[in-house]
Structure formats: C-alpha cells, structure tokens
Amino acid sequence: MAISEQVRAECRQLMDRYPQDRSALVPMLHLLQSEQGMVTAEGLELCAELLDLSTAEVRAVATFYTMYRLRSQGGEHHIGVCVNTACGLLGGDAIFDALSKRLSVSNGEVTADGRFTLERIECQAACTHSPVVTVDWEYFDQMDIDKMMDVIDKLEAGEEVVATRGPAVRGWRAAEKTIAGIDDGLGYKSDAIDSLMLAGLNQAKERGETAPDPKDF
Amino acid sequence: MALTPVITAHWDEPDCFTVDGYKKVGGYRAIKKALKMDPDDVINIIKDSGLRGRGGAGFPTGMKWSFVPQNDGHPHYLTVNGDESEPGACKDIPIMMANPQALIEGIIITCWAIRAEHAFVYIRGEVPEPIRRMHAAVADAEAHGFLGENILGSGMNLKLTVTSGAGAYICGEETALLDSLEGRRGQPRLKPPFPAVAGLYSAPTVINNVETITSVPYIIENGVSWYRSMGTDKSPGFKVWAVSGHVNRPGIYEAPLGITMGELLDYAGGIRDGHELKFWLPGGSSVPLLLQDHLDTPMTYEDIAAAGSMLGTGTPMLFDDTTSVVKAITRWLEFYKHESCGKCTPCREGTAWITGSLERFQEGVGRSEDIEGLVELSNHILGRSFCALGDAAATPYEPALKAFRSEFEAARHQPVDEAFPPAATMIIPPETANLAGAAT
Ligand SMILES: Cc1cc2nc3c(=O)[nH]c(=O)nc-3n(C[C@H](O)[C@H](O)[C@H](O)COP(=O)(O)O)c2cc1C
Ligand code: SF4
Ligand code: FES
C-alpha cells in the first residue's frame, strides 16, 4: 500500500511546526501508523527520506516507544486496561481477565477477526477515575466488568460508543491521527469535564468557600 | 482549611476552555499587565511569589527562569511538561482539558519573561482528548491574536507548538523530554549543562510543569501578597490536589498548600464505608508511603519531607485495610522496571532484581534473605543512578517494610491473594461467577 500524497503533505505540515524538521519524528510515526495500521518498512523509509536520516536511525527511535507497532497490524479498536496499582487493585485486574477471556487474547494480542487489540496499560493520569479503561485511547472511567462487556457488545454490533470524557470512539487508526496532531475537528466538541473533576468546586460552592478576594490586597 | 478554587474556579461553565469563556471570567487580563512590564520584573514577581514547580521536585520557578542567560543573541525556548505519567498523578491532564487558556496565557507571560519566541507543550501520547483540546485551544488563541506576531501590539512574537510523545514515562524527565522533542529516543542527558543554559537544540530552555505555568497568570493578575496569603512561607499558594484510591468522593480539590491530608480526606468523603485507611502516598508512586499518623501533617514541601516522604506531584493516593502493601509496591516496581530506559546499570539491573524478589513475595515464595537484602539493594540504586527514575524505584520498599514487616514475613509462605482476597480491594466487586470465570 503506497503512502498517499496527502499523508506526505501532512508529514510536511508536521515538520513546519518545529525549528528543526527532526522534531516531527515522534508525531510523524503516529501519523504513518494511523495510515497503515502499523509502522511499516515503507513508513520508516519515508521518515528517513523526509528528515534526511538513515532508516536505522528512524528505526532506533521507533523501537524505543511502546505505542508504535512494528511487527503486526493493530486491531480496529484498541482496548487498554490500566493495571497500575490504583486501577489494577481497585478492579482493573479483574476487568482485564474478563476481557481477555471474552476476546480470547492475552496482553498485546489482536483478536483473530482483527477487531480488537487488548493491552495492559500503565497509569493513564486518571487515577481519580479508577478503574480506568481506554477504547482507542479515549477515557472510559470508573469501569467494571459489566460496563465493559456492554461496551464490547456495542462495538461488535457497530453501535456508537461514547467515552466518559471524550467523543464517540472512531477506531484506533483515527485516534493515532489525532495523537499525531492532525485536526479531527473535535477539540471543542466533546464533553471532557465530569463531576469528579468538579468535586472540589461543587463542595466549595456548597460551603461558600472561595479563594481570598484580590480586592482585599 | 477552606477550599480555594482558582485554576478550577470556572470548570462548571460550559465554555470554560474557550478564549471567550476564559475572558468572561477575567482571563487574558494578566498578559496585558505583563507585556507592559520589563521582563525581568515579571521574573522578580514570580520569584517573590515563591511559586514552586508542580512537576514533583518543587524547584522555585522564578529562580529557574532567572538562570536563562539574557540578551545572549540565541533563541530561547519554553517547554511545558504535559507528560504526566507518574502513577497516581492525574492533575495536568484535567487542567489541559478544562483550562487550556490559562495555560496558554501562562505560556505567553513566561515567554515574555525569558525572552522566548517559540514554546512547546509536550503531551504524553496515550491521551487524544487533551491533545485535541490543546490544539483547538491554541488555534482559538491564535485567532484572537494572543499568539503569533506582535501580540497585543507589544512587539512580542510567539509560536506555540503542541506535540506528543509515544508511550514512555521517562520522557517526563526534563532532559529525556528534550531528546524526544528533538526526534530521538527519550533518554536523560548528563547535567550540567542544565537546560536553562543548553536545552532544546542546545539553546537556553525552561522546562516547567503544566500546573506551574497555569498558576502564573493568576499570580500576575492578583499579586504576590494575594498569592502568599495562601499556603506557608516556604510553600506558598494554591494547589490542584487530585485525590484517588479507596475514598468515597475521589476527584479534584483545589486548596492551599498546608492543608492536611485529614482535611482533604474529609472533603473527599472519607475512606470508603466500613474500612480504614491503611497507607497513603502524598504525590505519586515515587514518594515514600505514609500512615494514619500523618493525616495531620500539613501538605507542604517542608512538612511532608520532615514526615519522611515527599510532596511530589501533590496527588494523594489512599489505600484501605483490604490492600496488600506487597502487591501495591510490586505493581509500582514492575512499572519502573518496564519504564527504565536502560541507559545506566544500577537502574536497569536493579529494577529487575527488586521486581523479581517482590514478585516472589507476591506469589508466597519470598526469600527470607530478601527481606533485608532488598533494603541494601535499594540503597545501591539510590543516588547511584543517572536520573531520578532509579531513585524512585529504590524508594517504595523500605518504608513499606518498616510499616508492614509482618506482611513480607507472611509472604514467604502465603500468596498475598490468599491473605488479601483481590475482590475485597476492588471498589466494584465483580459477580462471584464472573470472577471465577475470569480467573481461568
Ligand atoms: C522519571 C521522571 C518522570 C517525570 N515526569 C514528569 C512529568 O510527567 N511531568 C512533569 O511536569 N515533570 C516530570 N518530571 C520532573 C521533570 O524532570 C522536571 O523536574 C519538571 O518538569 C520541572 O517542572 P517544574 O519545575 O514546573 O516542576 C519527571 C522526572 C522524572 C525523573
Ligand atoms: S536511572 Fe533508569 S531511567 Fe534514568 S537514565 Fe538510568 S536507566 Fe534510564
Ligand atoms: S493507576 Fe490507572 S489511571 Fe492512574
């Protein structure tokens, strides 16, 4: 599968954002992964060509970061289960086991039908919302086994599934493009603020507590 | 101590993250002030405010800015650290989603102060929601003339680039971050030279945490004495606390430094019903655990240090009596082992050894010689590794042993899952049938 002119143009667009072209490499690899479902030899060569590096130099970078798939295609949806302490012990371990059983895959594997990649992930900076699962890296907060089974049912049926903080999931490859920094038009559209993020503010309002009034100083 | 929402004060407004929404609540007034001031005066205000870095180390922010050589004819850069990957830390991602405009205003003011014309926000790769929101917020600020050429007629030019990582905790370490931002493997650099002298592309660079920079516009707008009326002399100001674990109301609570964990825990609804606090960590997995006795300790850099821990990221995690301390710290060590960049031997080898020993305890076949041996091993890593990740990995074991020695003794013969049934630790226990099914 040849890399389209449009993607090449998007790569150049990324390069324009930095004083030195090479700075675009990490985002560029996300973009090529989004285009091809993994980082292919062709993708590495394109980075090398555009950034005036050797393919070996690009590969050395690509292999350092865990989000890039260099060996095989990723599934249509990426399911990440946070198993670091605050999530894993509070429910993530059991969620992972249940998903692993349901999808018949172990950590890092893609289901036989190519629909799901299942991965144990590290702390997702959302421990207040534990146990946290991600679908296409969007937040699915305060999950349990039943809720996750429901999410999988819906994804299998092709129904819409909306993140608890974020938009409706659009597939792993679309998420990789967002992560690369290519505008998906959703930046201001999704609901990213929830009651847990407002826990303190709501209580401060109830109790009439505020920061000191600047006029008093 | 009362809650003092500042950064979080308007998160319940539906448009709090847009330029228009932010302006409605007083946003973008501080840059008008700052851009009329001499840049050195801005640095002095931040110095006088006593603002300390919220990325974990608590380094004085104004002092860091003053290390940048001025009028040296080189380009300067600001890099905002939005890598937030420390287990337990969960405040910067919410700030970027809910108050990106205050972060951008802080970036403009900081760049004015350090004479930088290009700034970066480096966000960890696994979080598309804050990434897309930061991109949208930057485009919004550009459209309103707050970024770009000759901002507000001040003569200042500023380009702001949002960029992302690709899954490597070590890229939160500031010099590894710079390597990643230069398109390389994210491995820490030898210091000195410090980034303020030779950072991104070898040019003078300031690296600050998201929460640090987001605090800046409020200090400029409301003044040093207002800021210092919160917190203590050595740890002034407000702080976004993210409280997680076995509490009834986990979430984000903004209050001055110096609030106690006990007070924060009250706001968070206490430990979940029917259980008692067992141990807690003030700010991420890289700091020593504390106990019930420390609930009255003021949450300041100095008081938490005196109590034997560190304030770190100020994102407390609390665990109740159902939690196996062995299992909790094993999970953290597995994380450090996985995230060790491999550059130096004490960390690369040491994290593997400690993790292996802890996993044996977890399985109920811990070696008795490891009970003391792991203290010694940790001490060999502490202070001998190239960056603070190694130190972080050497931290959890000794305080855990000191407080809960009997659990390690027991784990020489009994798997921790027997002594501490996993279902009891979960907040939403699965159906017994499901759990039995899942275990196979
Ligand atoms: C392994 C490791 C990971 C780190 N991760 C982060 C991070 O995600 N965010 C952050 O702001 N600082 C992180 N730091 C601290 C940074 O190196 C740096 O001190 C900080 O960004 C400076 O900002 P501040 O002065 O505003 O706190 C990390 C340090 C280490 C050793
Ligand atoms: S201490 Fe660990 S993470 Fe830091 S440089 Fe050494 S091997 Fe890498
Ligand atoms: S431990 Fe899961 S989000 Fe932090």
Side-chain angles (χ1 to χ4, degrees):
Chain A
M1 185 178 42
I3 296 168
S4 67
E5 253 327 296
Q6 192 201 330
V7 173
R8 286 171 167 266
E10 283 167 344
C11 285
R12 289 199 194 87
Q13 191 191 318
L14 292 176
M15 286 153 61
D16 285 344
R17 295 178 184 177
Y18 306 88
Q20 295 186 10
D21 290 347
R22 183 172 177 163
S23 287
L25 180 53
V26 173
M28 209 186 270
L29 287 164
H30 280 298
L31 179 61
L32 293 168
Q33 171 154 277
S34 152
E35 179 69 7
Q36 302 201 299
M38 64 182 281
V39 176
T40 62
E42 197 189 355
L44 295 173
E45 279 157 24
L46 179 64
C47 291
E49 175 200 320
L50 291 172
L51 302 177
D52 202 14
L53 299 170
S54 70
T55 316
E57 283 173 298
V58 175
R59 184 186 304 276
V61 174
T63 51
F64 182 81
Y65 296 93
T66 55
M67 285 181 80
Y68 304 129
R69 295 185 67 92
L70 285 120
R71 285 197 209 100
S72 63
Q73 292 275 322
E76 186 186 335
H77 293 289
H78 177 276
I79 315 284
V81 184
C82 177
V83 293
N84 206 298
T85 308
C87 285
L89 273 56
L90 270 63
D93 288 352
I95 295 173
F96 180 86
D97 289 344
L99 285 172
S100 171
K101 186 165 183 251
R102 158 125 188 210
L103 299 173
S104 305
V105 283
S106 44
N107 183 27
E109 291 179 355
V110 180
T111 54
D113 61 5
R115 295 206 76 168
F116 300 103
T117 312
L118 180 66
E119 200 185 343
R120 292 163 70 88
I121 60 172
E122 292 298 352
C123 177
Q124 187 66 12
C127 325
T128 39
H129 293 66
S130 76
V132 173
V133 177
T134 58
V135 179
D136 303 332
W137 295 115
E138 305 293 351
Y139 283 118
F140 283 70
D141 303 313
Q142 295 190 316
M143 282 292 120
D144 60 31
I145 292 174
D146 290 345
K147 286 194 222 170
M148 268 322 291
M149 291 301 153
D150 195 44
V151 167
I152 300 291
D153 287 343
K154 290 204 167 104
L155 289 172
E156 282 183 338
E159 289 171 32
E160 184 179 78
V161 176
V162 182
T164 49
R165 285 178 297 158
V169 303
R170 302 164 304 141
W172 171 67
R173 286 169 62 172
E176 278 289 318
K177 191 158 182 170
T178 300
I179 293 164
I182 306 295
D183 185 18
D184 61 16
L186 297 170
Y188 274 1
K189 295 220 172 82
S190 47
D191 207 353
I193 305 171
D194 70 352
S195 63
L196 278 71
M197 286 165 62
L198 299 176
L201 179 60
N202 286 338
Q203 277 195 56
K205 286 192 166 175
E206 268 167 38
R207 298 172 191 230
E209 297 176 357
T210 60
D213 187 343
K215 289 193 197 81
D216 297 340
F217 292 87
Chain B
M1 188 177 286
L3 296 168
T4 54
V6 176
I7 291 176
T8 60
H10 304 287
W11 289 12
D12 54 351
E13 302 286 342
D15 58 352
C16 60
F17 46 87
T18 68
V19 169
D20 289 342
Y22 181 57
K23 279 174 81 175
K24 252 188 275 175
V25 297
Y28 286 115
R29 283 205 303 244
I31 55 164
K32 293 193 181 133
K33 252 187 180 170
L35 268 48
K36 286 194 194 106
M37 286 162 42
D38 186 274
D40 285 339
D41 292 341
V42 176
I43 296 180
N44 284 331
I45 291 177
I46 298 303
K47 263 191 186 165
D48 293 345
S49 76
L51 172 65
R52 297 176 66 163
R54 303 290 195 241
F59 193 83
T61 304
M63 198 191 294
K64 184 183 277 190
W65 296 1
S66 69
F67 292 154
V68 173
Q70 302 302 349
N71 308 315
D72 55 345
H74 292 295
H76 297 173
Y77 298 106
L78 169 66
T79 302
V80 177
N81 191 340
D83 195 58
E84 193 162 65
S85 306
E86 164 93 356
C90 46
K91 61 183 180 72
D92 298 331
I93 300 285
I95 290 172
M96 288 190 282
M97 295 197 292
N99 203 353
Q101 299 300 340
L103 173 57
I104 294 170
E105 189 177 17
I107 289 170
I108 301 165
I109 295 168
T110 308
C111 287
W112 176 255
I114 65 164
R115 287 91 161 169
E117 297 203 330
H118 199 154
F120 302 84
V121 181
Y122 182 102
I123 308 177
R124 63 184 297 190
E126 307 95 320
V127 288
E129 183 60 15
I131 290 173
R132 62 164 70 85
R133 179 141 295 174
M134 275 312 303
H135 278 285
V138 168
D140 193 2
E142 278 169 357
H144 282 81
F146 293 122
L147 294 169
E149 310 269 296
N150 191 19
I151 297 167
L152 304 178
S154 64
M156 178 193 188
N157 304 327
L158 179 61
K159 181 168 172 175
L160 176 52
T161 299
V162 178
T163 191
S164 46
Y169 165 62
I170 190 59
C171 291
E173 194 283 329
E174 55 187 18
T175 60
L177 187 154
L178 293 176
D179 265 32
S180 180
L181 185 46
E182 290 182 4
R184 299 168 201 282
R185 301 164 72 94
Q187 287 184 315
R189 300 178 181 175
L190 190 66
K191 292 189 264 192
F194 288 93
V197 176
L200 188 64
Y201 316 125
S202 300
T205 304
V206 165
I207 299 148
N208 273 128
N209 172 261
V210 164
E211 186 187 356
T212 312
I213 296 296
T214 306
S215 304
V216 167
Y218 300 101
I219 299 172
I220 297 292
E221 174 68 9
N222 299 324
V224 167
S225 46
W226 169 82
Y227 187 70
R228 281 194 165 275
S229 74
M230 292 171 268
T232 64
D233 188 41
K234 287 189 179 130
S235 304
F238 49 84
K239 168 91 188 74
V240 176
W241 308 96
V243 184
S244 67
H246 287 122
V247 299
N248 282 317
R249 285 194 297 270
I252 303 279
Y253 296 85
E254 195 172 0
L257 286 145
I259 193 169
T260 66
M261 187 66 244
E263 290 167 322
L264 269 177
L265 183 54
D266 273 346
Y267 286 115
I271 293 295
R272 67 174 171 159
D273 301 340
H275 294 281
E276 278 174 23
L277 175 65
K278 180 167 171 177
F279 62 93
W280 62 285
L281 294 89
S285 57
S286 304
V287 308
L289 62 79
L290 293 175
L291 305 169
Q292 178 87 25
D293 302 349
H294 304 112
L295 285 183
D296 296 331
T297 308
M299 299 273 275
T300 63
Y301 296 97
E302 60 278 15
D303 292 293
I304 294 292
S309 185
M310 287 181 282
L311 192 64
T313 50
T315 51
M317 284 186 278
L318 298 89
F319 296 94
D320 72 16
D321 47 16
T322 64
T323 312
S324 158
V325 77
V326 177
K327 192 168 180 174
I329 69 165
T330 303
R331 208 55 72 88
W332 287 319
L333 259 300
E334 287 170 341
F335 169 80
Y336 293 121
K337 178 187 156 201
H338 182 247
E339 298 297 332
S340 167
C341 81
K343 181 169 178 148
C344 64
T345 315
C347 168
R348 186 184 61 239
E349 302 293 325
T351 52
W353 286 339
I354 301 179
T355 306
S357 297
L358 286 176
E359 283 172 344
R360 274 194 290 274
F361 283 109
Q362 189 170 262
E363 299 308 318
V365 290
R367 294 187 302 215
S368 50
E369 67 268 28
D370 280 352
I371 290 186
E372 294 305 331
L374 283 181
V375 176
E376 208 181 308
L377 184 53
S378 299
N379 286 333
H380 281 304
I381 301 176
L382 213 63
R384 288 197 174 82
S385 46
F386 195 80
C387 86
L389 190 149
D391 296 340
T395 297
Y397 179 71
E398 195 171 354
L401 177 70
K402 212 169 139 203
F404 303 104
R405 189 179 187 100
S406 61
E407 275 184 47
F408 289 89
E409 301 279 1
R412 287 164 49 217
H413 311 293
Q414 186 190 26
V416 296
D417 280 358
E418 261 176 51
F420 295 90
T425 314
M426 297 181 200
I427 41 176
I428 312 169
E431 301 291 324
T432 325
N434 254 342
L435 183 66
T440 55

